[in-house]
Amino acid sequence: MTTEPLPVPSDGELYEQIAARVPSADVKRVREVLSAHGIQLTSPLPARRQLVVHRLYCEGTKTDTDDNDGAFTSDMTLGPGPWAIASTLNNAGKSSLLWALSYALRGDGFGAFKRPETVGWFSYVRADVEVAGVAASIRLTFDKPDRPSCRLLSADALEHLTALIGSQETGPGVRVVASAEPDGVKALIDRFMLDRLGLRPLPLWTAEAGAPKDADGNRDSREDIHGWASYFYAIALNAGNSSILLGPTGHNQLPVKLMQLFLDVPYASELTQVTTARKKDTQEGNRVQRRAREDAQAREQQTEPLRHALRAAEDKVTALETDQPDLTGLLADVDAAARQVARDQAGLQAAEEGHAAARKARLKDEKAFRRAEQSSAARLLLGALEPESCPRCDHEIDDARRTAEESDHRCSVCASPLPEVQDDPETRAALRLRLEERVNASRAAEDTARQSVARNTAACESSRAAYDLVNARLSAARSGSWYTRLESARESVYQLRGALAVATGNGTGLPEVVGDYVTATTSSSDTEDGSADSDTILEAAASALTQVVADHSKALFTELNGEIVRIAHDLGVANLTSVDLNLAGHLNARKTGKKHPFSAFSPTDRLRMRIAAIIGMIKVGRKRGIMSHPGLLLIDAPTAEELSHDNARQCIKTLYETAADDPGIQIVITSIDDAVWEFYPEDRTVTGLGKRQLF
């Protein structure tokens, strides 16, 4: 019974849901963070994937057989529906042809189909296919075993390709669209198939074998990209002896992720991208922190000799400072002596200025006395003013005016004629006496000033000598071995602190400019994503997408469970009561009502359970109007280990009817079972001459 499909939120609604879970972010910010991680949410559209094989052509040379060596050509015309590559013999080439087809479709031979003894036989493989409506012909040329080059042909119509004969590559509307050397064949086919089928590479996070565990028990991991080669496991099924339900590995829930993709679960691919991005960011952050811790530990070990030397130098400085001589008294004496020198120099300067003034006065008085003795004009003006300059305009009275005063009897100040006076001997004697007294007084004053200069000079010399003495004592104290040792010890401390700062990248305690330099030159180059909300947004995106994917997966798995049980019964799996696929990729089968692990199934039943799962996915998708699975199955020997003839017959019948009843399915099997000839008509059977060797 088909349940009503769940509503699928649009990409805009999902962006809004994610933003609502992060208070600090809006829809624009959510888009920015997801885009920065290469993630873009896109409203899902119904998938229309289809892969149909129309022709398989092989050339080669068989060697080292018992009785069948020689060149061979095999040309198989196929198409939608059921096909059987059959023979009544083992070792007839059935699996080898399936391997050749898988090589063309996958870019690498499928391991479960590989027969090592026949790999070297093939020299040319051609597969004409239709991929999502596009006609293509994949041509492999094997110059070395298992190392083909490739040419990819396309045409305007499929008929133009199928009309080409053998290895022919030219014809109406046919063109070579790509080619690759052996190392690039797998990448070419991968790119072509993913692009045409609308599939994205599937990134999964896988723990690195042997990597150390962190404090939480997690190992360093790597990103494994699963491309078309992994998707191909939903076309070419694992061998019966494999315990993996689907895909090349069971790690990281790859089987369930393949199922979600081929069931067209909305946003399953985006959820895988977000999960991988979170793990990648978390691991990178853990690696940065671990490197920082390891670097710190390494620096701690490397810098321990520096720390030890710094402690010793600091202890030495402390000890020297404790034994420091008392310089306080000497400094005070030097200061007092310097002050006394300053005072004595000021006194000497004042005495010298006074002596100069007294000498000038004495010279003036002596000059006046001489003039009085020699000049009648001087005697006339004796006792009068004898200014140096005009009292009104301050103009200097020069020698010419004074000479005129003597010779022409004109006043040297105003140039007026001097009055005629009679020379009075008594007056002259009185005036001369007065002038002598003035000269004597000025000479006495000069002597006194000279003595003051002498005294002050002596005082200056004494104070300078005293200053030199106490300063010499201070210099001697400072230049002693203690002071030298203290300065040397302090210098060692400064050097060791700088060296330790550079070694540890910690400039704390250093001058600002030095500390900034140390921080700038030793800071780690590892930087985290500058956006503080990036992790929170990725977490919110994972939560929102997980809810959508889980709800749709559970609904689809519920429907798929019933299909698997029904188809498995038809294929001959006995006593299967139920299965309950979960999001961890576990089948959770029950037989006769009891738990029955997938690994407990027989190899034959495991293969049939895989067939049931793939066909079930195709049918569930078809019921919902989608073609998310390409519709092609390649099954090697589905009844190889079946002991019951009836079960084998039922399996062959179911495979034929399944492909025959659904025009969107192509199933190619290999078999030697008699039931093949019963159910597969001749035009649906590929066999060799006499139903024996295929080539």
Side-chain angles (χ1 to χ4, degrees):
M1 177 179 179
T2 304
T3 59
E4 190 67 23
L6 295 174
V8 179
S10 68
D11 56 314
E13 291 171 337
L14 270 179
Y15 279 120
E16 290 176 357
Q17 290 179 24
I18 297 168
R21 297 171 187 244
V22 185
S24 63
D26 56 12
V27 170
K28 180 181 178 182
R29 178 61 185 150
V30 171
R31 288 180 182 272
E32 288 175 352
V33 170
L34 294 184
S35 178
H37 287 81
I39 302 166
Q40 184 176 3
L41 303 182
T42 305
S43 298
L45 299 174
R48 299 288 295 179
R49 301 186 183 103
Q50 188 178 29
L51 174 58
V52 181
V53 180
H54 289 275
R55 185 177 179 184
L56 175 65
Y57 174 84
C58 302
E59 294 178 359
T61 303
K62 299 174 70 172
T63 58
D64 299 323
T65 64
D66 290 338
D67 55 3
N68 196 28
D69 286 359
F72 69 86
T73 298
S74 175
D75 197 353
M76 299 164 45
T77 299
L78 303 170
W83 296 91
I85 303 175
S87 171
T88 57
L89 299 176
N90 281 319
N91 301 315
K94 300 180 295 298
S95 298
S96 297
L97 287 175
L98 210 58
W99 174 82
L101 176 60
S102 73
Y103 214 125
L105 298 180
R106 188 171 180 255
D108 188 17
F110 193 67
F113 302 159
K114 185 175 183 178
R115 301 296 181 263
E117 69 275 14
T118 68
V119 168
W121 293 354
F122 291 89
S123 60
Y124 189 83
V125 172
R126 162 188 173 181
D128 295 347
V129 298
E130 202 171 4
V131 187
V134 174
S137 182
I138 302 168
R139 309 295 184 95
L140 304 179
T141 301
F142 292 82
D143 292 327
K144 293 182 179 180
D146 215 5
R147 292 276 296 167
S149 58
C150 176
R151 289 170 67 81
L152 181 62
L153 279 60
S154 185
D156 298 332
L158 177 66
E159 293 76 13
H160 294 163
L161 291 175
T162 56
L164 297 177
I165 300 172
S167 59
Q168 182 183 358
E169 294 185 358
T170 58
V174 177
R175 54 197 169 273
V176 178
V177 295
S179 61
E181 294 303 312
D183 289 338
V185 170
K186 187 174 182 180
L188 172 61
I189 301 301
D190 180 270
R191 187 171 71 252
F192 173 67
M193 290 295 184
L194 292 182
D195 179 69
R196 294 309 313 157
L197 296 175
L199 296 169
R200 299 178 185 174
L202 191 63
L204 295 180
W205 209 241
T206 306
E208 296 179 1
K213 293 182 179 180
D214 59 18
D216 298 326
N218 299 319
R219 297 183 187 275
D220 276 356
S221 302
R222 69 177 186 275
E223 184 181 30
D224 285 343
I225 304 297
H226 291 269
W228 174 242
S230 293
Y231 290 131
F232 198 75
Y233 279 82
I235 292 174
L237 304 184
N238 296 55
N241 57 8
S242 172
S243 61
I244 301 171
L245 177 62
L246 189 65
T249 177
H251 294 308
N252 291 303
Q253 303 173 359
L254 179 60
V256 75
K257 293 183 188 301
L258 291 175
M259 286 185 174
Q260 288 172 334
L261 186 141
F262 288 122
L263 283 170
D264 211 25
V265 174
Y267 299 108
S269 178
E270 288 85 348
L271 175 58
T272 300
Q273 288 181 288
V274 170
T275 303
T276 299
R278 288 189 66 200
K279 290 180 178 179
K280 184 184 296 184
D281 286 356
T282 299
Q283 174 165 290
E284 186 57 31
N286 291 340
R287 282 179 172 174
V288 169
Q289 294 176 5
R290 185 171 67 245
R291 284 197 297 268
R293 288 194 302 269
E294 292 172 350
D295 290 347
Q297 293 172 356
R299 283 196 300 269
E300 188 70 24
Q301 295 174 354
Q302 293 171 352
T303 58
E304 182 54 33
L306 277 177
R307 297 179 190 277
H308 179 75
L310 177 58
R311 288 192 294 268
E314 290 174 337
D315 291 344
K316 185 176 181 180
V317 169
T318 301
L320 287 169
E321 289 176 342
T322 303
D323 297 335
Q324 177 179 2
D326 184 11
L327 301 180
T328 305
L330 289 174
L331 291 170
D333 290 345
V334 169
D335 182 65
R339 292 175 184 275
Q340 184 61 47
V341 168
R343 287 194 295 270
D344 289 345
Q345 285 178 336
L348 176 59
Q349 183 178 358
E352 288 176 339
E353 290 174 353
H355 176 258
R359 181 174 179 276
K360 184 176 181 181
R362 188 260 305 168
L363 292 174
K364 181 179 179 182
D365 290 343
E366 288 179 344
K367 183 177 182 182
F369 179 78
R370 288 193 300 272
R371 289 182 62 217
E373 286 289 322
Q374 300 169 2
S375 169
S376 60
R379 289 194 297 271
L380 174 64
L381 298 173
L382 188 62
L385 293 173
E386 190 177 2
E388 296 290 332
S389 60
C390 177
R392 294 193 68 186
C393 67
D394 291 332
H395 186 76
E396 184 180 0
I397 299 172
D398 55 20
D399 292 340
R401 282 181 174 267
R402 295 188 189 280
T403 302
E405 187 179 72
E406 290 291 338
S407 60
D408 298 338
H409 283 257
R410 289 182 181 277
C411 177
S412 62
V413 176
C414 66
S416 298
L418 295 176
E420 294 292 336
V421 295
Q422 296 295 324
D423 187 10
D424 184 358
E426 291 181 0
T427 301
R428 177 182 179 189
L431 292 175
R432 185 176 184 280
L433 177 61
R434 191 188 311 165
L435 191 56
E436 285 180 347
E437 289 175 350
R438 186 186 295 177
V439 169
N440 290 334
S442 61
R443 285 175 177 171
E446 183 182 8
D447 289 341
T448 301
R450 185 183 295 111
Q451 292 170 5
S452 177
V453 169
R455 288 193 303 273
N456 280 281
T457 299
C460 261
E461 291 176 352
S462 176
S463 62
R464 284 196 186 97
Y467 173 79
D468 291 341
L469 179 61
V470 295
N471 192 49
R473 291 175 182 171
L474 177 62
S475 298
R478 283 180 167 173
S479 62
S481 61
W482 170 87
Y483 192 79
T484 302
R485 286 185 285 117
L486 177 63
E487 288 301 308
S488 176
R490 284 176 174 169
E491 184 179 356
S492 295
V493 169
Y494 300 148
Q495 291 175 343
L496 289 169
R497 284 177 179 170
L500 189 60
V502 171
T504 60
N506 183 2
T508 304
L510 296 179
E512 182 177 357
V513 64
V514 180
D516 291 345
Y517 170 78
V518 168
T519 302
T521 56
T522 59
S523 59
S524 172
S525 60
D526 288 316
T527 57
E528 298 181 4
D529 186 3
S531 48
D533 59 352
S534 178
D535 291 343
T536 306
I537 290 174
L538 285 177
E539 182 180 4
S543 177
L545 292 172
T546 296
Q547 188 64 51
V548 174
V549 171
D551 290 346
H552 284 263
S553 295
K554 289 175 182 177
L556 289 168
F557 283 1
T558 298
E559 191 172 345
L560 178 60
N561 290 334
E563 288 289 345
I564 291 175
V565 173
R566 183 186 63 78
I567 296 170
H569 281 155
D570 291 344
L571 290 172
V573 179
N575 302 318
L576 183 64
T577 307
S578 66
V579 297
D580 185 15
L581 274 169
N582 62 21
L583 297 180
H586 300 139
L587 189 61
N588 295 313
R590 288 180 176 269
K591 274 194 169 188
T592 62
K594 304 295 190 301
K595 290 183 179 180
H596 197 82
F598 185 70
S599 59
F601 282 88
S602 69
T604 298
D605 280 353
R606 284 184 211 163
L607 178 58
R608 292 174 184 174
M609 291 299 291
R610 291 189 189 98
I611 297 171
I614 298 299
I615 294 176
M617 287 192 294
I618 295 174
K619 289 186 173 294
V620 168
R622 297 294 191 272
K623 290 177 183 178
R624 294 175 180 266
I626 58 176
M627 296 177 62
S628 52
H629 187 282
L632 172 65
L633 270 77
L634 307 179
I635 307 171
D636 188 26
T639 60
E641 298 184 36
E642 178 58 68
L643 300 179
S644 168
H645 173 74
D646 290 340
N647 284 349
R649 184 176 180 278
Q650 179 64 28
C651 176
I652 297 296
K653 178 176 181 291
T654 299
L655 290 173
Y656 175 81
E657 291 177 348
T658 297
D661 295 343
D662 191 328
I665 297 179
Q666 180 183 24
I667 299 178
V668 181
I669 69 169
T670 66
S671 180
I672 62 170
D673 201 282
D674 293 340
V676 169
W677 315 107
E678 178 183 354
F679 294 107
Y680 282 76
E682 185 176 344
D683 62 349
R684 290 283 169 174
T685 305
V686 178
T687 188
L689 184 64
K691 299 181 181 180
R692 297 172 64 83
Q693 298 289 341
L694 271 296
F695 55 86

